[in-house]
Every structure is written in C-alpha cells, then in structure tokens.
Amino acid sequence: MNTTTEDTDDRARRSIGARRNPASQEAILDAAEAVLEESGIGGFSIEAVARRARAGKPTIYRWWPNRTLLMLDVYRRFKNARGFPDTGSVRGDLIALLQNHLLGFWKDSLCGTVYRAIIVEAQNDPDAAKALYAYQEERKKATEVIIERAKARGEVAKDVDGRLIIDMVVSFAWHQLLINRLDEAMGSIEGVVDGVLMGCAGYKR
Amino acid sequence: MNTTTEDTDDRARRSIGARRNPASQEAILDAAEAVLEESGIGGFSIEAVARRARAGKPTIYRWWPNRTLLMLDVYRRFKNARGFPDTGSVRGDLIALLQNHLLGFWKDSLCGTVYRAIIVEAQNDPDAAKALYAYQEERKKATEVIIERAKARGEVAKDVDGRLIIDMVVSFAWHQLLINRLDEAMGSIEGVVDGVLMGCAGYKR
C-alpha cells in the first residue's frame, strides 16, 4: 500500500473499511471482546460483532472467514498481553507458565471457555483446525525460550528436547481444561513441573 | 430379577426387551459398532442403531440417553478388549500404553475418531461429560497399577504420585489426538516416557 501510516490511521478512524489495517482490526477485536464478555460464547456471532463495531458483515468475513477464527484472534490478543514468564529459573518459569498463562489464565477469565470452544470447533472445521495448529506452533516456539535460557544458565543439558518439555506441560493443561479440572489441577502444578524436570523419584532403569 | 441366567439369555435371543441385561446390551453394542464401521460418526444415530439391532428406539434411549453415551460404551468395549500392558518394567509398560492403548490405538482404528467425537460432545453436553469423566477415572485408576508394580519392583520410590504420572502420559496423548498429530507423536513415545521417568538430562535446581 502506498498510503502513509497517518493516512491509514485517519481512514480507519472514520470508518471500518474493507482493507485489513491495524487500527480497524483492533476495533473489530474490541467489539468481539465486548460481545464475548456480554453475551458469552452462545451469543457470539459475526453478526453481533458487526453490529457492535458498526462494520459490515462482509468486511469482517473477508478478514475472519468464521467466528472461530475471530475468537482465536481475541484469545491471542489476551494471551499476548500476558507476555512470557521470565523468573530467572526454569522451574519458576514452568510454574509461572502453568499458573498464569495456562491453567490459571483459563480458570480466572472467559478465556478458558473461549479456548475450549476453539478446540471443539477445530475438531470439525478444517479452517479452524489450521488456525489453531498455527497458533499452537507459534506459542510453543516462543515458549521454548524457557528451555533455551535454562540451557544457557546450565540448568539443563544442551541436548534436552525443549519442544517436548513444552509439549508435555501444555498437554497437561489442555487435558485438565477439557476434563473440567482446572481448580484441582492448580494444586498439581509443582508436581508436574518437578516431574518434567526431575522425573520419578528413585527411578532405576 | 428372579429369572435365571438361562431365561434371560433366552429372552434376549428372542427380542431385545426393555430390561438392560448383558446379552441384549451386547447386541445393541454390536449393532452400534457395525453402524460406526459402516457409516462413520456422521451416520451414527440411535435411530440407525435401533434399525440395525431390530430394537425399539425407546429401549435404546432408556439405557443410553444419547448417542455419545452409546459411542462411549462401544469405545470402552474396544479398549477393554486390549487389557492393560504388563511388560515387566515401568518403562516398557508406559511405552506400550502410549503405543498400543493410546496413540497407536487411536491412530490405527476408528477409535481415534470416535474418542475425539466423545471429547467434543463432553464439552457441550453435561451427561456426556459426566460419563467421560467417570470413564477417565476408571481407566486411570486401573492404569495406575503400572506405577504400583514399579514400586513393588523397586523401580521407583514408594512416594511417587502414580496418578500424576499416568495423567501426564494420558494428557500428552489427548493433546496429540486433538491437534491431529498422532503420526508424529508415535516418534516421541520414548522421549515422553523417559521424560516422565528421568526428567530433563542434567537438571540442576
């Protein structure tokens, strides 16, 4: 696009047009978030978001082909606002990951319900699945830095498979979300992290 | 009931009645399995099973209030037929659990698709959720014997939390099922099991 940033911002303020630009995208996401907060998953539709954002439905559909993809972007924005844990130790980071970014994050906000709904949709809708897998890949890659930092600090061996560690922690959280045991799981966080880091006490092969 | 077993079996052979008894229950499950195999999840309904079993729909509904509960019993029967791994070592048992009872079991049969559908239904239907949680509880409890045997053999310390170990292994499998990575996950089985047993190589707290 040949417009300057100022031009783009100015146009977005006047109306939410057909072009996906940061300002209008945020306005749609704001509206989507408000609809989710007020009406829950059941009342969440592209139509309701369009009404709230005073945007045309076709505009929203052009950017988010279905409501699940829009929900995922709302979820992603919440998640990104939390950043990534950096406590100075791998144990602290993994505990913070489960406490503030996975189990606790889902438990204490609408985000748990939203993420559950996204996972469900991904089982039936190939577009939702593709978007969820891409999001998972992006998050896991970013979270692997926890293990990279642990290697740099000499807390774990250089050849530890960081992706597998993150996958195990994320898997535990997903499972608890989907069997509705977030509350109980909060009490198992240290056990899981110590399990991943230290294995079974007294294990002799 | 005052009827003898022979009476019951005989009546079940003549018609599938309103009473839930082992013989007629198996006949319904046989029919449900056949419908799943022939028509897949999409074609699976209480109506189709009733037609196949030559039973009345109300009879089936009396025993299985919805199609998800019926699917879960079909799934459970497949799963129970596999028994539980007992290879002589905790490492061997956990590898066999992932290979033959979770990831591999789902990958190589209709059971993966069926279980996915059950998990999805459980997110929206409280009856399905209750049945799935009860099934999970029953399976995890039975699977914990792997860790009990390991303790008895002196492979792990007596105070190891067996439920947590099983939960971590099952969680990993669920996650891979739901992000459609069963094939790739088959290659991570030893890594996951060694992770759970031995933790991160070189970990220094």
Side-chain angles (χ1 to χ4, degrees):
Chain A
M1 275 185 277
N2 287 324
T3 53
T4 67
T5 308
E6 274 164 32
D7 279 354
T8 311
D9 281 350
D10 190 49
R11 199 175 51 237
R13 265 192 296 275
R14 275 180 279 121
S15 81
I16 291 173
R19 245 169 283 188
R20 185 164 181 162
N21 66 54
S24 52
Q25 186 178 1
E26 289 302 309
I28 302 274
L29 290 174
D30 287 343
E33 191 182 312
V35 170
L36 273 172
E37 265 158 21
E38 282 163 26
S39 317
I41 297 281
F44 185 77
S45 64
I46 297 280
E47 189 152 27
V49 174
R51 215 178 307 123
R52 178 94 192 195
R54 298 188 192 185
K57 272 205 293 179
T59 305
I60 303 187
Y61 274 119
R62 206 168 304 129
W63 301 344
W64 291 280
N66 65 50
R67 70 172 209 136
T68 309
L69 303 189
L70 181 52
M71 271 200 287
L72 183 59
D73 271 356
V74 173
Y75 179 84
R76 184 199 310 262
R77 202 169 60 155
F78 268 113
K79 202 65 181 282
N80 287 346
R82 294 235 158 177
F84 291 89
D86 188 7
T87 65
S89 77
V90 62
R91 186 172 186 273
D93 283 357
L94 292 177
I95 288 174
L97 180 67
L98 282 166
Q99 229 156 34
N100 308 326
H101 301 257
L102 296 167
L103 300 173
F105 175 63
W106 294 332
K107 191 174 77 68
D108 299 330
S109 75
L110 187 65
C111 285
T113 310
V114 170
Y115 203 47
R116 257 171 107 132
I118 292 167
I119 294 170
V120 165
E121 284 306 313
Q123 308 309 310
N124 298 315
D125 170 27
D127 285 338
K130 215 173 125 191
L132 177 61
Y133 304 161
Y135 170 73
Q136 275 277 306
E137 182 58 32
E138 161 200 319
R139 276 307 290 193
K140 285 180 184 167
K141 206 163 182 174
T143 309
E144 270 178 71
V145 80
I146 290 175
I147 310 302
E148 293 312 313
R149 284 193 308 243
K151 289 180 186 178
R153 283 188 297 249
E155 287 182 288
V156 301
K158 297 280 181 211
D159 62 351
V160 161
D161 182 346
R163 171 57 59 98
L164 196 66
I165 305 299
I166 298 304
D167 226 21
M168 286 171 68
V169 171
V170 170
S171 294
F172 177 78
W174 270 49
H175 185 56
Q176 306 303 318
L177 173 68
L178 295 169
I179 62 171
N180 209 18
R181 289 181 62 89
L182 292 178
D183 280 320
E184 297 88 337
M186 293 298 286
S188 300
I189 289 178
E190 294 199 14
V192 169
V193 170
D194 287 337
V196 162
L197 292 175
M198 299 192 285
C200 280
Y203 176 62
K204 281 186 281 293
R205 191 168 169 172
Chain B
M1 276 184 274
N2 288 322
T3 53
T4 65
T5 309
E6 274 163 30
D7 279 354
T8 312
D9 282 349
D10 190 49
R11 201 177 47 239
R13 265 192 295 276
R14 274 181 280 121
S15 81
I16 292 172
R19 245 168 285 186
R20 186 164 180 162
N21 65 53
S24 51
Q25 186 179 2
E26 288 301 309
I28 302 276
L29 290 174
D30 288 342
E33 191 182 312
V35 170
L36 272 172
E37 264 158 21
E38 282 164 25
S39 316
I41 297 282
F44 185 77
S45 64
I46 297 281
E47 189 153 28
V49 174
R51 216 178 305 123
R52 177 96 192 192
R54 296 188 196 188
K57 271 204 294 178
T59 306
I60 303 185
Y61 274 119
R62 208 169 302 128
W63 301 344
W64 291 279
N66 65 50
R67 70 171 209 137
T68 309
L69 303 188
L70 182 52
M71 270 200 288
L72 183 58
D73 271 356
V74 173
Y75 179 82
R76 184 198 311 263
R77 202 168 62 155
F78 268 113
K79 202 65 182 280
N80 288 347
R82 295 233 157 179
F84 290 90
D86 188 7
T87 64
S89 77
V90 63
R91 187 172 186 273
D93 283 359
L94 292 177
I95 288 173
L97 180 67
L98 281 167
Q99 228 155 35
N100 308 324
H101 300 257
L102 295 168
L103 300 173
F105 175 61
W106 294 332
K107 192 174 76 71
D108 300 329
S109 74
L110 187 64
C111 286
T113 310
V114 170
Y115 203 48
R116 257 172 108 133
I118 293 167
I119 294 170
V120 166
E121 284 306 315
Q123 307 310 312
N124 298 314
D125 171 28
D127 286 338
K130 216 174 125 191
L132 177 62
Y133 304 161
Y135 170 73
Q136 274 276 306
E137 182 57 32
E138 161 201 320
R139 274 309 289 194
K140 284 181 186 169
K141 206 164 181 172
T143 309
E144 270 179 71
V145 80
I146 289 175
I147 310 301
E148 293 313 312
R149 284 194 307 246
K151 290 180 186 178
R153 281 189 299 248
E155 286 181 288
V156 301
K158 296 281 182 213
D159 62 351
V160 161
D161 183 345
R163 171 58 61 98
L164 196 65
I165 305 299
I166 298 303
D167 227 21
M168 284 170 67
V169 171
V170 170
S171 295
F172 178 78
W174 269 50
H175 185 56
Q176 306 304 316
L177 174 67
L178 295 170
I179 61 170
N180 210 17
R181 290 181 62 90
L182 293 178
D183 280 321
E184 297 87 336
M186 293 298 286
S188 301
I189 289 179
E190 294 200 13
V192 169
V193 170
D194 287 337
V196 162
L197 292 174
M198 300 194 284
C200 280
Y203 176 62
K204 280 185 284 290
R205 190 169 170 172

